[in-house]
Structure formats: structure tokens, C-alpha cells
């Protein structure tokens, strides 16, 4: 019976500290996703060349061929950089959106969980007993 | 802090306390596993098509729900427990948990020893379950919660370690129980700290959802913003990716202060370059690797996030580009690349040596680096030994303005034990063995004492890794202090640890054995034996040589013989002796010749290194120069010296014996009466032969008497003749020893000033050469039996037929 002594302590914890800690953990998860998908860094360097690869324009202003080829290379590098970064950003965006969507559901679930558990437990025991009869 | 005060801190963590009291941590863990398994089994059962199950389906669903609910319930309870466990509280929840079970008259020590962690502490100290039970059954003294008071630590917090420590303080039975097993209060406290730290670390690791643990997962996409370093990949290694460095970065896990400083300097937005100096090169590289790992885990200051540390492989660069301009161009390219990539920190190991080596190519590396640091955002960690820092770098003030200097110190033995405890846990998990605390402590002590030439920690880890297979081979899995002692003995030849019965017999006979070898010097031999017993029983200072003596006495009275006997008895072989004639080291250049300098290896230093342990015999010690005397002052005091290249040479496994025939005239004056030690010491000091500080450093000054008693001299002659008999026996010739011969040897071979040294010379010069002549002339053959007779003062061979 001693075991059931825990119930009031548990319920108190579940709706006070338990709830706040869960919400904090959900927030942590969003912070983690921002870190994992490098959102800030990718946004700041969205149009930078891919891996800082670039061609020099040279010192001569009249060497049009060189300038043109360098220009083409550099534009391509920036386009490649943009495409790759956007892809990662997109995945990250969906992940964060998912978390933001599921967080309230989880919180509601947490609030209902003791009741759900109780109902299921009683249901299971009841089902077992009726089966016996 | 008393019991009632402690109760005030219970409120916040109370749910955790009662949960732990009703269902122990271990029980909950096992139950969770079982319920998870049962839930899974019932899910699988539910997958069976319903026509096979029939009416059982209903029951099965009910059972599944039951298991699932119980499993989720247990997880929720565990979440509550963790929440309480990690709640910041002035009093450790584990202490409150033990106190909470106590009733008015309960003994707290009993409760402590019944708790999981309390028991675990005792196992770590080498106690068996039965020892603890026996102790609890016979315990008389009772410490109740009313009289108990906890000694607080500096931060006013009550930790688990403080609780146990205070118990040992209050409960005389407990402290007696510890003492009888050779556990000191300090050992007890360190073990408590170890166990408590371990418990917390395990629980911390299981909480993957904390921000700390989540941010350790490396992020994706960041490398897109930084450049590639193609040339640096050729001439350098990424410190966290290269296999050569995988092992590094572990040592600073526990003591991070130096790594934190490194981090602080490097994260400066301008001029974040650092020069790391240390006596041992591995320390600097390890600190850098440690930082590299933290960067990878993302647990560093934000300015350092995403940085990559590359260690420049100086040797490959030099050997690939032997020509000045080529080398310069490549080096500049590498520096430029590192700066342009935007997130590279360039580590240049042994910067001082690098500067010197490239100097011969005509390259001024310092200049190139200075330019690079001025014109770009290059970040550099340079490392150097203290010596090369002073010789090469310190003088270049202009370059030094770009660097901040940080000196790394070697770990002391307390730190080494804590770090090793961490290593032990990994080893235990891997190898399924169990180390007692004493074994861990002894590993560090032995490493410090017997193998300390390189790093204390490296040697300790080496011993740790070496001992596991040895003990496993013996079919055991608990590693104790005795195992460590046995391993060290097998490696050094020095007996350690508890004295076995055989050995104790040998030790008690040692004086007798030595007296049999060294004739007529009973008091000297006894003094030496006493000092040696002190060394063997561990009463001697471990930071000094095993023993150090000054032997004084005229020549030929047995000083060298005593040294040889010591080598044979303590190191199992007379060969374990290093002999140095100190009159060779009387000039001003003596010390560099002995210990070497930057360019040369010293004779003495390399001999000591090679030998490792044994007897060091310093003949005619007083004739060495004052500098040499100072060197030995340090050696006797600290047990090591630093050679010309700045490396430590350990002398703690040596018995140092300096001999001197200072005051031979005193001995000549005292013919027939013993010379007192004080007289000799006064004589030595008044003649400025040795300084009094040095004299005082020796464990003992031992006076060898002149050998004057006729019987004594006869015994010495007998020993020398016995050796000749043995040699001749090998050639098939039998020599009969006669008293006539012995009398002759004593008469010709001894005098008050030179002692008995002449006896051996007479044997070689007269007896052996006579036999040789006879052999050559064909007067003597194998199988003959001979003796010597004296006729008219001359010695002659007599042949038996």
C-alpha cells in the first residue's frame, strides 16, 4: 500500500514542476533544431559562394575574356551555394514547424495522461475480471 | 549542520526520496526492462490473425493495456525522480534519502551501509559483502540522527561524500573498521567522491533531452559557409578527424581550467593567438585536442563554434620543400589558405624547433608568420617547450606581441588519481573487471615513483592497460593493490607491497648474510641493514632515492664489497651496480660531462637511464667538483635530476653509496681503537671536503674500521683464497688451503693504511703467476692436487702425488 502513498506527491509534481520542465524541454528541442540545421548561419550566408570558392578577376581591366570567365564561375558558385543552403533551410523549416505544431498536443497529452492511464488501467482490470466470468 | 537543519532542505526533493525508498533505483530499472519486454511480446501476440485467437483476443488486449499502462507509469515516476535528483539543492538528495529512512534510535552507519551507494563505496575499497555483514553484526557503537552532525564543505553544501566522511568521523567503530583494512580517512573520502561523481555522471548521460546533451550533436550545413584547405590537408592534420590524434584530448576531461583559458584567448575577436608552453610536449597537444573535441560537440563559446583545428606537419613541409623560395611560397600559401577558409585555427607544434630547423634553409619563419598575422585574420596556436621558448622565441618581442602565452603544468598526483578513476570506468566497461580504489591509487603512486621519466598520467594509463590482461589470465576479475605491486615488481625487480613470509625470512637474515660477505665491519653492516629495512617497509620518503649513504674509511676495508652485497641482496644481482670514479669529475666542466648539454648526451645520465634501478657507487666522492656535489645534493633530496636536454632522469630506484677515504690519517692515528662518526664528520667539514648540507642529506654516514684484528684478516684471506680454489677447480686442479698460506697472505697483503686490498693483489701476482708458470713448464697437469708452502720467506707450490 505504501506504493500508493506516492500518488498525491506525483500528481502535484506532474501538474507543477513536471509541466514546466516538459515545456522547457520542448523549447530546448526547438533551440536544438535551430542549432542542428544551422538556420542563423545559413540565412546570413545564403548568397555566398559555395565553400568560398571563387575565381580572381585578375589585374587587367581589358582582359575581358578572363573577367567574363571569372564572372561566370563566381555566379555559378553563388547559385550552387544558394541552392544547397535553401534545401537545408527548407528541411529545417519543416522540422521546426512540426515541433511547434506537436508541442501543444504533447502538453495537452501530458495534462490528460494521468486520467488516461487511470482509465486504461481500470478498463484493463475490468476487462480481465469480466473475462474470468 | 545537524539533522533538524537538514530536514529543512527536504521539501523540494521529497517525492524523489520516497519513491527511491519504496522502489529502489535498481529495481525500477529492471522493472522497466521487463515491462517493456512484456508489452512488446503482447503487441506481437496481437498481430496474430484474430481467427486463431478467438475469444482470447479480448483478454490479450486487456493484458497489453495493463503492461503498457504500467510501463508508462514507471517512466513517469522516473521522470519525477530525475527531476528531483537534478534539482539544485543545498543537500544532496542521496543524503536526505538515507536520513529519511532513519527512525529515532537507528544507527546511521547501518543505514549508510545498506544503501546501494554506501555498499558500492565499500566494494570499491576492497570489502566483501560478508565483511560488511560481519561488521554490522558486531557493531556496538550507535550513531543516531540526533547526535550526528555533518561537516560542511567550503560552499556550504552537503554532498554525499561529506556525509560519509562525517560518519567516519563520528562513528569510532566505522573508522576502526576502515583502519583495520588499511583504509585511511583520506582514502575513504576520495572513494566516496569517486562513487558519487560516477553515479551522477551515469544519470546525467541518460538524460539525452537536456539542452547540454542535445547541443553536443554536431550540426549540418555549417561547412558550406567556409572554404576548403587543399594544401593544409596535405601538410597538416585535422585534430579531431585524423587517426593519429584520436587518442588525444582525454586527459583534460576532468581538469579543464587550462582548456578554458585556451578557449577564452582564442575566442577574442582580434589577436586571438596563443603560445602554449609546457615541459612535456604531449600536454600541449592534448589540450588542443581536448578543445577540438569540445568544438566538435558544440560546447564552446559561440565565437569558436564551427572552427576546425589543423595541426601543421612541420616535418613533411620541410622535407618536401628543401629549397628556400619553394618552402617560403608553400608556407605562405598554407597560411593564406588557413586564413581565407574563415574557420581554421592553425596549430604549429614545437614552434621554437621549427624556427631553428628552417633557419638552416635560410628561411625566417618568424617573419612570415608575423606578416600573416598582421595582414589577415589567421588564428594560430603555437606550442613550445619552456627551453626553446626562452632560447628562440622570448627574445623576439615584436612577434610575441601577437601571442598570449599560456603555461601548462603537469598534473599532480591527486588530479592524476581523479583522471585515472575516469579511465578505470571505461576500462571496466570494456574489459569486465573491477578495480579497487587502492589499486587505482597504487597505480599512480608507482607511476610517480618508479616510472616517472615521462608523464605521470601516461605511465599510469599504461600500467592500467597492462595490468588488466595479466589479472584476467590468472582467472580473476577484481584488481587490487597487490596485483599492481606484483606487476611493478616484475618490471623493476624491486620488491613492493606486503612482505611475504619468504621475504621476511630473507630480510631478517640480511644482516647475517652481509656480515658473512663483509668481514669485520659488523657495526657498519648493521647500520646499512637498518636503513634498508626502513626503505623496504615503506617508511622511507618515496620522493627520494631508496637509500643514500656515505661510506667513510681507509681503502680496502670492505666499502665496495658492502655495495656489491647490497646490489646482490636487494636487486638480486651484483651486476645491478653502476660505478663511477668521482675523481674524474673534479674539473669545472664536470657537470655538463655527466648530465650532457643541448648537443651531447651525458655519460652519467645515459647510464642511469639505461640501468633504471640498482646500486650507484660513487668512488672517492670528496674529489668531485663542488658543482657535482650540488647536483647530488638535489638528487638525494628530490630523487631526480634534469639532464642537459631538459628531461627528467629518475633516481628513486637507486641506492646511492658515496665512498670516501677522507681522514685516512685519522684512521692511521687511531690504530687499535675505533674512530667515532662525529670525529670523521668534523674532520670532513673542517677540511672543506664536503659541505655540511650535503653531509646531512645522506641517510647515514657509515664509518668502516681499519681491519686490524688478526682473525678478521685471516677470514678475509680465506674468502679470497676460496675464490681462487673455485677458479682452479674449473681447470681441474685442486688447491688445498693451509693455515700457512693464510698467515703468509695476511703478513704480506695487509697494512694499517691500505687495509686488506693487497691480499687479492698478492694472490694474482704471486700465487696465480706461479701456477701459470708451472702449467707452461709442464710441471702441473689437470687432476693434480697442490698446496702452497713458505720456505725462507718465499712462497712455493707443493704438489701431492
Amino acid at each position: 500500500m505504501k506504493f500508493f502513498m506516492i500518488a498525491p506527491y506525483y500528481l502535484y509534481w506532474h501538474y507543477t514542476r513536471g509541466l514546466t520542465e516538459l515545456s522547457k524541454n520542448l523549447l530546448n528541442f526547438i533551440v536544438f533544431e535551430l542549432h542542428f540545421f544551422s538556420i542563423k548561419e545559413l540565412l546570413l550566408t545564403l548568397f555566398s559562394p559555395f565553400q568560398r570558392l571563387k575565381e580572381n578577376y585578375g589585374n587587367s581591366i581589358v582582359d575581358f575574356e578572363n573577367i567574363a570567365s571569372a564572372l561566370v564561375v563566381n555566379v555559378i558558385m553563388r547559385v550552387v551555394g544558394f541552392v544547397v543552403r535553401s534545401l537545408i533551410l527548407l528541411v529545417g523549416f519543416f522540422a521546426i514547424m512540426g515541433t511547434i505544431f506537436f508541442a501543444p498536443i504533447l502538453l495537452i497529452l501530458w495534462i490528460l495522461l494521468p486520467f488516461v492511464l487511470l482509465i486504461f488501467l481500470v478498463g484493463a482490470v475490468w476487462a480481465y475480471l469480466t473475462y474470468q466470468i | 549542520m545537524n539533522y533538524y537543519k537538514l530536514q529543512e532542505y527536504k521539501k523540494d526533493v521529497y517525492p524523489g526520496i520516497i519513491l527511491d525508498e519504496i522502489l529502489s533505483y535498481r529495481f525500477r530499472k529492471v522493472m522497466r526492462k521487463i515491462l517493456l519486454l512484456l508489452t512488446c511480446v503482447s503487441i506481437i501476440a496481437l498481430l496474430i490473425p484474430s481467427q486463431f485467437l478467438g475469444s482470447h483476443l479480448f483478454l490479450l488486449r486487456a493484458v497489453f493495456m495493463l503492461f503498457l499502462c504500467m510501463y508508462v507509469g514507471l517512466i513517469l515516476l522516473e521522470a519525477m525522480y530525475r527531476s528531483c535528483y537534478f534539482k539544485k539543492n543545498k543537500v544532496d538528495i542521496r543524503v536526505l534519502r538515507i536520513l529519511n529512512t532513519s527512525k529515532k534510535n537507528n544507527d546511521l552507519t547501518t543505514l549508510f551501509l545498506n544503501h546501494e551507494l554506501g555498499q558500492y563505496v565499500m566494494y570499491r575499497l576492497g570489502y566483501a559483502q560478508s565483511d560488511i555483514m560481519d561488521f554490522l553484526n558486531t557493531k556496538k557503537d550507535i550513531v543516531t540522527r540526533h547526535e550526528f552532525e555533518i561537516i560542511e564543505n567550503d560552499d556550504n553544501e552537503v554532498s554525499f561524500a561529506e556525509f560519509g566522511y562525517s560518519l567516519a568521523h563520528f562513528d569510532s567503530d566505522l573508522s576502526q573498521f576502515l583502519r583495520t583494512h588499511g583504509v585511511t580517512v583520506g582514502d575513504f573520502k576520495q572513494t566516496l567522491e569517486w562513487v558519487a561523481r560516477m553515479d551522477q555522471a551515469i544519470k546525467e548521460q541518460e538524460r539525452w533531452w537536456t539542452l547540454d546533451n542535445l547541443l553536443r550533436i554536431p550540426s549540418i550545413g555549417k561547412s558550406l559557409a567556409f572554404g576548403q584547405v587543399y594544401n593544409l590537408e596535405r601538410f597538416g592534420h585535422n585534430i579531431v578527424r585524423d587517426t593519429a590524434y584520436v587518442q588525444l584530448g582525454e586527459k583534460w576531461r576532468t581538469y579543464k581550467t587550462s582548456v578554458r583559458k585556451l578557449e577564452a584567448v582564442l575566442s577574442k575577436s582580434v589577436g586571438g593567438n596563443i603560445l602554449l608552453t609546457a615541459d612535456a610536449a604531449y600536454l600541449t597537444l592534448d589540450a588542443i585536442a581536448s578543445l577540438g573535441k569540445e568544438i566538435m560537440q558544440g560546447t564552446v563559446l559561440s565565437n569558436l563554434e564551427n572552427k576546425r583545428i589543423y595541426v601543421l606537419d612541420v616535418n613533411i613541409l620541410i622535407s618536401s620543400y628543401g629549397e628556400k623560395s619553394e618552402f617560403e611560397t608553400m608556407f605562405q600559401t598554407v597560411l593564406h589558405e588557413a586564413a581565407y577558409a574563415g574557420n581554421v585555427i592553425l596549430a604549429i607544434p614545437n614552434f621554437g624547433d621549427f624556427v631553428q630547423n628552417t633557419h638552416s634553409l635560410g628561411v625566417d619563419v618568424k617573419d612570415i608568420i608575423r606578416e600573416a598575422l598582421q595582414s589577415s585574420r589567421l588564428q594560430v596556436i603555437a606550442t613550445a617547450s619552456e627551453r626553446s621558448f626562452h632560447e628562440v622565441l622570448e627574445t623576439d618581442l615584436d612577434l610575441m606581441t601577437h601571442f598570449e602565452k599560456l603555461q601548462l603544468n603537469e598534473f599532480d598526483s591527486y588530479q592524476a588519481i581523479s583522471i585515472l578513476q575516469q579511465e578505470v570506468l571505461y576500462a571496466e566497461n570494456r574489459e569486465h573487471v573491477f578495480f579497487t580504489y587502492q589499486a587505482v591509487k597504487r597505480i599512480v603512486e608507482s607511476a610517480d615513483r618508479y616510472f616517472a621519466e615521462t608523464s605521470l598520467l601516461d605511465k599510469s594509463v599504461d600500467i592500467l592497460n597492462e595490468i588488466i590482461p595479466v589479472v584476467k589470465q590468472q582467472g580473476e576479475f577484481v584488481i587490487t593493490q597487490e596485483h599492481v605491486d606484483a606487476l611493478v615488481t616484475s618490471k623493476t625487480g624491486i620488491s613492493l607491497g606486503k612482505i611475504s613470509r619468504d621475504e621476511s625470512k630473507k630480510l631478517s637474515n640480511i644482516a647475517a648474510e652481509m656480515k658473512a660477505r663483509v668481514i669485520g665491519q659488523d657495526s657498519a653492516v648493521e647500520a646499512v641493514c637498518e636503513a634498508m629495512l626502513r626503505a623496504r617497509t615503506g617508511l622511507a620518503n618515496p620522493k627520494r632515492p631508496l637509500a643514500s649513504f656515505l661510506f667513510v674509511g681507509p681503502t680496502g676495508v670492505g666499502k665496495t664489497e658492502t655495495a656489491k652485497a647490497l646490489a646482490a641482496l636487494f636487486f638480486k644481482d651484483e651486476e645491478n651496480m653502476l660505478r663511477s670514479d668521482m675523481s674524474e669529475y673534479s674539473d669545472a666542466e664536470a657537470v655538463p660531462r655527466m648530465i650532457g648539454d643541448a648537443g651531447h648526451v651525458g655519460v652519467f645520465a645515459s647510464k642511469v637511464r639505461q640501468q633504471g634501478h640498482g646500486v650507484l657507487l660513487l668512488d672517492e666522492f670528496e674529489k668531485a667538483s663542488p658543482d657535482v656535489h650540488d647536483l647530488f645534493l638535489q638528487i638525494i633530496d628530490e630523487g631526480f635530476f634534469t639532464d642537459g636536454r631538459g628531461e627528467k632522469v629518475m633516481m628513486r630506484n637507486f641506492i646511492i653509496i658515496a665512498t670516501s677515504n677522507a681522514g685516512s690519517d685519522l684512521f692511521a692515528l687511531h690504530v687499535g681503537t675505533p674512530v667515532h662518526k662525529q670525529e670523521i664528520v668534523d674532520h670532513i667539514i673542517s677540511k672543506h671536503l664536503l659541505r655540511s648540507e650535503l653531509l646531512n642529506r645522506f641517510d647515514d654516514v657509515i664509518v668502516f674500521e681499519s681491519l686490524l684484528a688478526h682473525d678478521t684478516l685471516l677470514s678475509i684471506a680465506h674468502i679470497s683464497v676460496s675464490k681462487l680454489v673455485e677458479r682452479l677447480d674449473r681447470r681441474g686442479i685442486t688447491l688445498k688451503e693451509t693455515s700457512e698460506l693464510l698467515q703468509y697472505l695476511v703478513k704480506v697483503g695487509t697494512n694499517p693504511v691500505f687495509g686488506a686490498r693487497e691480499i687479492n693483489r698478492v694472490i694474482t701476482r704471486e700465487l696465480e703467476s706461479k701456477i701459470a708458470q708451472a702449467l707452461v713448464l709442464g710441471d702441473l697437469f689437470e687432476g693434480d692436487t697442490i698446496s702452497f708452502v713458505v720456505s725462507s720467506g718465499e712462497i712455493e707450490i707443493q704438489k701431492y702425488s
Side-chain angles (χ1 to χ4, degrees):
Chain A
M1 270 310 100
K2 225 178 163 189
F3 180 73
F4 293 101
M5 255 175 60
I6 303 174
Y9 291 107
Y10 177 74
L11 285 175
Y12 180 72
W13 174 83
H14 188 94
Y15 289 109
T16 54
R17 241 161 63 203
L19 198 61
T20 50
E21 274 173 33
L22 178 69
S23 2
K24 218 160 93 191
N25 283 338
L26 290 171
L27 271 179
N28 281 349
F29 207 71
I30 293 175
V31 173
F32 161 70
E33 281 169 330
L34 288 170
H35 151 85
F36 184 74
F37 294 103
S38 319
I39 306 291
K40 187 181 124 203
E41 287 83 357
L42 291 185
L43 283 176
L44 285 174
T45 59
L46 194 56
F47 298 104
S48 307
F50 182 70
Q51 294 194 331
R52 295 199 180 189
L53 292 170
K54 74 168 189 195
E55 196 77 4
N56 274 331
Y57 288 98
N59 296 325
S60 159
I61 321 171
V62 283
D63 189 354
F64 294 111
E65 201 181 328
N66 186 34
I67 291 174
S69 79
L71 188 69
V72 170
V73 169
N74 290 342
V75 167
I76 289 174
M77 284 308 156
R78 282 178 193 275
V79 170
V80 171
F82 173 74
V83 170
V84 176
R85 285 186 183 91
S86 312
L87 279 176
I88 297 175
L89 276 173
L90 207 66
V91 177
F93 178 75
F94 278 116
I96 293 170
M97 277 301 128
T99 315
I100 291 173
F101 176 73
F102 279 108
I105 296 178
L106 252 162
L107 282 174
I108 292 168
L109 209 69
W110 179 264
I111 292 168
L112 296 178
L113 200 56
F115 299 105
V116 173
L117 273 187
L118 198 69
I119 291 167
F120 275 33
L121 207 63
V122 170
V125 173
W126 178 76
Y128 180 75
L129 289 175
T130 51
Y131 178 80
Q132 291 284 306
I133 299 161
Chain B
M1 216 185 264
N2 63 18
Y3 174 71
Y4 301 99
K5 191 93 202 297
L6 286 168
Q7 292 294 308
E8 290 171 19
Y9 295 100
K10 212 164 76 173
K11 211 182 88 232
D12 279 345
V13 294
Y14 193 63
I17 296 175
I18 51 165
L19 175 66
D20 204 42
E21 218 175 287
I22 296 164
L23 306 171
S24 77
Y25 179 76
R26 210 176 298 157
F27 178 77
R28 298 198 303 270
K29 205 170 173 177
V30 173
M31 277 312 285
R32 278 203 306 277
K33 276 186 186 155
I34 293 174
L35 281 170
L36 181 64
L37 188 76
L38 289 173
T39 315
C40 290
V41 169
S42 46
I43 288 179
I44 293 167
L46 279 174
L47 291 176
I48 301 171
S50 53
Q51 59 262 41
F52 294 111
L53 287 169
S55 60
H56 295 294
L57 182 65
F58 185 64
L59 177 70
L60 206 56
R61 279 183 187 154
V63 169
F64 166 68
M65 286 320 278
L66 190 72
F67 287 151
L68 186 66
C69 286
M70 283 164 75
Y71 179 62
V72 173
L74 267 185
I75 287 189
L76 288 177
L77 285 176
E78 199 57 32
M80 176 185 78
Y81 179 73
R82 296 293 164 92
S83 157
C84 294
Y85 187 96
F86 286 101
K87 176 112 182 93
K88 266 211 165 314
N89 199 13
K90 245 186 159 175
V91 182
D92 194 315
I93 185 172
R94 294 165 289 191
V95 176
L96 292 169
R97 149 85 177 79
I98 293 174
L99 285 175
N100 199 52
T101 29
S102 71
K103 303 246 163 43
K104 217 172 158 193
N105 292 322
N106 274 162
D107 177 36
L108 289 183
T109 306
T110 311
L111 293 174
F112 172 76
L113 292 180
N114 280 329
H115 187 254
E116 291 174 310
L117 281 185
Q119 271 174 14
Y120 198 66
V121 168
M122 300 312 274
Y123 297 154
R124 279 285 178 205
L125 285 167
Y127 291 89
Q129 176 74 32
S130 56
D131 294 333
I132 304 172
M133 295 319 276
D134 288 347
F135 166 66
L136 289 180
N137 289 334
T138 54
K139 193 171 180 304
K140 290 189 205 91
D141 205 13
I142 281 181
V143 180
T144 64
R145 60 193 193 188
H146 299 286
E147 56 197 25
F148 179 63
E149 199 153 316
I150 287 188
I151 306 156
E152 285 163 60
N153 66 6
D154 304 333
D155 359 305
N156 276 336
E157 281 176 4
V158 176
S159 68
F160 183 73
E162 249 91 50
F163 175 68
Y165 179 66
S166 309
L167 264 182
H169 185 77
F170 267 87
D171 188 340
S172 55
D173 279 351
L174 178 61
S175 58
Q176 179 66 30
F177 180 50
L178 293 172
R179 257 204 309 279
T180 47
H181 284 69
V183 178
T184 65
V185 179
D187 291 342
F188 187 51
K189 196 174 178 193
Q190 270 215 342
T191 314
L192 283 162
E193 280 166 4
W194 181 20
V195 169
R197 201 167 53 222
M198 204 169 88
D199 178 56
Q200 192 158 344
I202 291 170
K203 292 202 169 87
E204 201 122 28
Q205 245 174 28
E206 287 169 355
R207 297 205 310 167
W208 56 268
W209 57 85
T210 60
L211 197 55
D212 257 7
N213 285 343
L214 285 175
L215 290 184
R216 276 168 208 272
I217 302 169
S219 61
I220 54 169
K222 279 184 186 152
S223 63
L224 293 175
F226 303 108
Q228 292 288 353
V229 280
Y230 303 105
N231 286 305
L232 193 50
E233 291 278 359
R234 276 172 68 202
F235 297 113
H237 310 278
N238 187 321
I239 201 158
V240 286
R241 266 195 283 128
D242 199 281
T243 42
Y245 299 106
V246 167
Q247 299 292 331
L248 292 175
E250 300 298 310
K251 299 197 181 70
W252 300 91
R253 197 162 28 205
T254 319
Y255 289 95
K256 286 207 166 131
T257 42
S258 299
V259 181
R260 288 282 91 83
K261 277 186 210 151
L262 182 63
E263 186 188 344
V265 174
L266 288 175
S267 61
K268 280 186 184 172
S269 48
V270 182
N273 304 303
I274 197 161
L275 177 68
L276 286 177
T277 62
D279 286 331
Y282 74 90
L283 273 180
T284 53
L285 214 51
D286 206 83
I288 298 172
S290 180
L291 183 68
K293 282 194 176 170
E294 285 194 31
I295 292 174
M296 190 176 65
Q297 293 164 348
T299 54
V300 282
L301 297 170
S302 57
N303 272 350
L304 284 184
E305 262 177 40
N306 317 317
K307 295 273 181 185
R308 291 175 287 170
I309 301 178
Y310 276 87
V311 182
L312 188 66
D313 196 329
V314 174
N315 294 330
I316 292 190
L317 192 63
I318 294 177
S319 57
S320 310
Y321 295 96
E323 212 249 309
K324 183 185 173 203
S325 60
E326 278 181 336
F327 178 85
E328 278 177 345
T329 316
M330 199 33 156
F331 189 51
Q332 276 162 341
T333 311
V334 167
L335 293 182
H336 176 73
E337 226 175 45
Y340 182 69
N343 68 338
V344 168
I345 299 174
L346 185 67
I348 307 178
N350 300 323
F351 188 44
D353 298 339
F354 180 42
V355 169
Q356 278 184 325
N357 292 341
T358 46
H359 202 72
S360 58
L361 292 178
V363 181
D364 189 355
V365 171
K366 288 192 282 188
D367 219 42
I368 298 173
I369 293 230
R370 187 173 20 237
E371 269 169 35
L373 287 175
Q374 269 160 1
S375 61
S376 66
R377 297 184 65 90
L378 177 69
Q379 261 198 316
V380 173
I381 309 174
T383 78
S385 65
E386 282 293 326
R387 185 183 55 78
S388 74
F389 169 71
H390 292 305
E391 282 174 10
V392 187
L393 304 172
E394 197 179 21
T395 44
D396 193 338
L397 294 176
D398 190 27
L399 181 66
M400 283 302 113
T401 52
H402 291 285
F403 286 97
E404 257 183 64
K405 182 177 176 270
L406 177 64
Q407 189 183 350
L408 299 178
N409 293 320
E410 177 69 279
F411 298 100
D412 63 30
S413 62
Y414 178 83
Q415 292 173 326
I417 290 178
S418 319
I419 297 170
L420 199 66
Q421 283 171 343
Q422 190 72 33
E423 298 297 319
V424 162
L425 296 185
Y426 294 119
E428 284 181 345
N429 262 334
R430 206 172 50 229
E431 308 277 348
H432 308 291
V433 288
F434 185 86
F435 279 83
T436 65
Y437 166 79
Q438 288 93 330
V440 178
K441 187 179 162 197
R442 183 53 64 95
I443 287 176
V444 174
E445 279 173 0
S446 313
D448 189 19
R449 174 141 200 177
Y450 302 104
F451 312 100
E453 287 85 356
T454 59
S455 131
L456 173 60
L457 209 53
D458 277 354
K459 280 289 174 189
S460 305
V461 174
D462 283 351
I463 300 178
L464 177 79
N465 290 329
E466 239 170 278
I467 198 159
I468 295 170
V470 173
V471 175
K472 272 176 135 183
Q473 254 173 18
Q474 297 165 1
E476 296 175 56
F477 79 102
V478 179
I479 296 169
T480 62
Q481 189 178 330
E482 281 76 34
H483 290 123
V484 180
D485 284 338
L487 181 78
V488 174
T489 304
S490 74
K491 287 175 74 106
T492 59
I494 301 165
S495 306
L496 297 163
K498 282 202 186 114
I499 299 165
S500 67
R501 189 171 301 164
D502 279 357
E503 211 193 339
S504 91
K505 212 164 153 193
K506 196 179 122 194
L507 281 173
S508 57
N509 286 338
I510 208 160
E513 266 181 60
M514 282 190 54
K515 279 180 200 166
R517 281 193 68 161
V518 184
I519 306 296
Q521 300 292 358
D522 289 1
S523 59
V525 166
E526 272 160 25
V528 171
C529 286
E530 271 167 33
M532 290 319 301
L533 278 182
R534 279 201 299 276
R536 175 61 189 88
T537 46
L539 296 176
N541 182 350
K543 302 255 162 184
R544 301 180 65 180
L546 290 172
S548 55
F549 301 108
L550 178 64
F551 286 0
V552 194
T555 41
V557 294
K559 298 195 295 283
T560 308
E561 191 60 28
T562 311
K564 279 186 184 166
L566 269 180
L569 287 172
F570 275 88
F571 300 102
K572 301 187 174 76
D573 194 349
E574 271 184 36
E575 297 301 310
N576 277 321
M577 187 158 92
L578 265 183
R579 201 167 170 171
S580 242
D581 189 353
M582 297 315 277
S583 58
E584 284 174 24
Y585 298 111
S586 54
D587 54 313
E589 295 296 303
V591 172
R593 225 168 343 114
M594 283 181 85
I595 68 169
D597 50 37
H600 299 90
V601 182
V603 188
F604 178 70
S606 71
K607 270 188 189 167
V608 168
R609 252 208 206 98
Q610 212 171 20
Q611 184 92 20
H613 59 269
V615 171
L616 173 67
L617 182 65
L618 307 166
D619 280 327
E620 303 193 78
F621 188 59
E622 80 282 3
K623 290 191 180 144
S625 73
D627 291 344
V628 174
H629 286 162
D630 286 343
L631 177 70
F632 278 95
L633 192 81
Q634 189 210 340
I635 290 175
I636 295 173
D637 229 19
E638 301 177 39
F640 70 87
F641 63 92
T642 310
D643 75 0
R645 286 177 303 176
E647 282 167 32
K648 267 189 185 180
V649 181
M650 279 297 147
M651 296 234 43
R652 290 175 188 166
N653 304 331
F654 280 88
I655 299 174
I656 297 179
I657 295 174
T659 73
S660 165
N661 42 27
S664 326
D665 26 351
L666 266 185
F667 288 98
L669 284 176
H670 277 75
V671 174
T673 53
V675 184
H676 290 293
K677 189 162 103 185
Q678 197 52 47
E679 253 177 285
I680 295 281
V681 169
D682 290 344
H683 175 81
I684 291 174
I685 292 172
S686 66
K687 293 265 161 131
H688 303 290
L689 295 171
L690 294 173
R691 286 189 293 139
S692 55
E693 299 100 278
L694 182 55
L695 267 179
N696 289 334
R697 290 300 195 290
F698 285 105
D699 286 347
D700 209 346
V701 175
I702 287 165
V703 179
F704 283 71
E705 303 288 337
S706 302
L707 296 169
L708 285 165
H710 196 64
D711 286 351
T712 312
L713 293 172
L714 279 180
S715 317
I716 293 173
H718 164 69
I719 291 177
S720 301
V721 170
S722 310
K723 284 182 187 159
L724 178 66
V725 169
E726 213 173 286
R727 283 202 297 279
L728 287 173
D729 196 49
R730 259 179 263 140
R731 296 287 311 266
I733 294 164
T734 314
L735 169 67
K736 280 194 173 168
E737 185 188 304
T738 55
S739 71
E740 198 180 353
L741 172 63
L742 296 184
Q743 299 283 2
Y744 173 79
L745 287 173
V746 169
K747 195 174 134 211
V748 182
T750 64
N751 72 53
V753 181
F754 291 110
R757 178 160 295 169
E758 285 289 298
I759 289 181
N760 280 329
R761 216 172 298 162
V762 175
I763 289 179
T764 321
R765 207 174 50 215
E766 300 197 13
L767 308 191
E768 279 180 16
S769 54
K770 287 235 156 71
I771 292 169
Q773 260 174 18
L775 280 169
V776 172
L777 292 174
D779 292 341
L780 204 58
F781 299 99
E782 272 185 36
D784 282 346
T785 305
I786 56 166
S787 73
F788 284 94
V789 289
V790 182
S791 63
S792 59
E794 283 287 315
I795 193 118
E796 269 166 27
I797 298 180
Q798 188 183 24
K799 200 167 149 187
Y800 296 90
S801 48

